[in-house]
Amino acid sequence: MLGLWAGVSFACKGKSPTEPEAPRTTAQAPETQRPAEAPKGNVGPTDACPIATRPLKREQTGRLVAIGDLHGDMDATRRALRLAGAIDEADAWIGGDLQIVQTGDILDRGDDEQEILDLFAKLTTAAAAAGGAIIQLQGNHELMNAMGDFRYVTRGGFVDFVEGDVPEPLTAEARARAFFPGGHYARKLAAHDMVAVVGDSVFVHGGVLPRFTKSLEKSNRDARCYLLGALEEPPPAVLDPEGPLWTREFSNDDTDCERLSATLDALGVKRMVVGHTPQLGGITSACDERVWRIDTGMASYYQGPTEVLEIDKGAARVVR
C-alpha cells in the first residue's frame, strides 16, 4: 500500500460536505503492505490479538461533558475544551475530576490533526492524575484512515506527518505509515473504543442499533486489535453501513424512537449521545431527550457553533 500511495499527489481538500460518506467494503492495508514496525501480536490457534476485552460500562464519578466531531481544527478543539471547563489558556488541565467523552472524528477535513491527538494524549494523563478522565472514541474517519481511505484528508493533513523536507509532488506515504494498522498513530488510536457507557448514557460516534447491543465489547476489542495490526481485516461492525461508526438512524428528523428505546433498554441506560451528523444550528435532541446529537460542525470546514453537552446529576443540558 505504501508503494501504491507513494506516486499519488494531493492538492485538494476532499469532498463536499454534502456528499455522503460510505464505508469501504474491504481493508485497504493488507499484511504485506503494513508498516514494517507493525506488531504481529501473540498469534495463537484461536485469536491473533493479545489485548483483553474491556468492560463496556464505566462509572460516572461527577460532572461529565461530551464533545463532538473536531475534524482537524485545533481552535475549535480549544474552544470546546475551555467551554467544558477542562483546560486553561495554556492548555493545562483544570477540570479536576471532570470526565470528558470525545465521540470521534478528530481526523480529516482540517490541518491540525496531529496537534489535537497529541493534546488529548497529554490531557488524558493530566486528567487521570487529578481524578478525572478523558474517554476518546473511534469515529468513522479514524478507521477510514487506517484502511487507506484518504478522500477527506487536506493537503496540510498529508504534510503534517512528513518528517524532514516535504516531497514534491506530495505523497500519502508519511500519513500511511502513521495510520495504517500498526503505525505510530494507529497504535495510539487503538487505545480508544467505538462505544462506551458512562453512568446512564451510551456514547458512540454514529449510533447503536438494537442488533449490535450484544456484541459491543467484542466489536470494541476487534476494532482496537485491527488498529494494532493484529488482525488482517477490520471487524464487521466497522464496515457495516448500519454499524456504530456509520449509522445515522438516530440523527435524522424521522428518528425511530421505539428502535432507540430497544437499544437503551438492552444497555440499561437513559440516553444515547452521538456525533457524526452535523447539526449546524447547534446540539439537538429527540425522543424526549433520549438521544442527543452533539456534532455541531464546530470545525472550520463546516463553520458551525461550538457547543458541548453536560451531563450532571442525571440531567443533560447544552453548554454554549
Side-chain angles (χ1 to χ4, degrees):
M1 182 60 65
L2 298 182
L4 171 64
W5 284 110
V8 180
S9 61
F10 297 84
C12 65
K13 287 219 174 228
K15 290 198 170 190
S16 158
T18 61
E19 295 182 64
E21 300 165 355
R24 298 286 192 180
T25 56
T26 58
Q28 302 297 298
E31 177 64 30
T32 56
Q33 297 163 338
R34 288 178 181 161
E37 67 272 20
K40 305 304 180 186
N42 182 18
V43 178
T46 59
D47 193 345
C49 184
I51 62 175
T53 300
R54 283 179 180 161
L56 180 67
K57 299 185 178 182
R58 313 176 194 214
E59 180 183 1
Q60 181 176 344
T61 56
R63 183 168 164 266
L64 172 65
V65 174
I67 298 174
D69 303 34
L70 298 171
H71 281 304
D73 188 330
M74 189 63 178
D75 289 341
T77 300
R78 288 190 172 105
R79 291 196 306 269
L81 288 168
R82 289 169 187 161
L83 190 60
I87 63 171
D88 63 14
E89 293 301 313
D91 294 344
W93 179 261
I94 58 170
D97 64 358
L98 170 67
Q99 291 171 297
I100 294 281
V101 179
Q102 199 282 318
T103 55
D105 275 12
I106 285 175
L107 298 186
D108 290 346
R109 303 194 188 280
D111 297 345
D112 306 327
E113 302 150 299
Q114 186 170 184
E115 188 178 6
I116 297 170
L117 290 169
D118 291 349
L119 174 62
F120 269 98
K122 181 188 79 170
L123 292 176
T124 297
T125 300
I134 290 185
I135 301 163
Q136 290 181 259
L137 300 181
Q138 304 288 355
N140 61 307
H141 282 265
E142 279 72 45
L143 271 299
M144 287 164 69
N145 274 262
M147 292 186 285
D149 185 345
F150 295 150
R151 286 176 292 167
Y152 302 91
V153 181
T154 65
R155 177 178 175 83
F158 288 109
V159 171
D160 201 25
F161 294 89
V162 174
E163 296 182 6
D165 295 335
V166 177
E168 291 296 343
L170 177 62
T171 74
E173 184 170 358
R175 189 177 184 92
R177 289 191 182 280
F179 287 110
F180 279 0
H184 178 61
Y185 277 92
R187 294 197 299 272
K188 290 178 179 289
L189 293 174
H192 310 158
D193 288 322
M194 290 195 296
V195 184
V197 173
V198 184
D200 58 5
S201 306
V202 57
F203 298 87
V204 60
H205 183 66
V208 181
L209 300 185
R211 69 183 175 93
F212 289 95
T213 56
K214 294 182 179 180
S215 58
L216 290 177
E217 289 183 345
K218 182 179 186 304
S219 295
N220 277 342
R221 177 179 180 272
D222 288 350
R224 294 172 58 221
C225 289
Y226 173 68
L227 288 167
L228 285 173
L231 295 182
E232 293 288 334
E233 300 288 343
V238 166
L239 297 177
D240 194 319
E242 291 190 337
L245 300 180
W246 292 99
T247 183
R248 301 184 194 273
E249 174 71 23
F250 304 126
S251 297
N252 298 318
D253 292 338
D254 58 348
T255 293
D256 186 335
C257 295
E258 290 187 4
R259 205 174 189 191
L260 173 66
S261 293
T263 294
L264 300 183
D265 290 347
L267 296 176
V269 296
K270 288 175 56 176
R271 69 184 66 81
M272 184 183 299
V273 180
V274 302
H276 188 45
T277 302
Q279 315 288 310
L280 298 182
I283 291 173
T284 65
S285 66
C287 303
D288 297 323
E289 298 188 350
R290 285 178 291 161
V291 61
W292 289 86
R293 298 87 164 245
I294 65 168
D295 176 11
T296 64
M298 71 179 79
S300 60
Y301 186 86
Y302 293 104
Q303 300 185 343
T306 302
E307 298 181 353
V308 299
L309 184 72
E310 178 186 76
I311 301 171
D312 193 19
K313 297 180 174 63
R317 73 179 185 95
V318 179
V319 181
R320 299 180 172 89

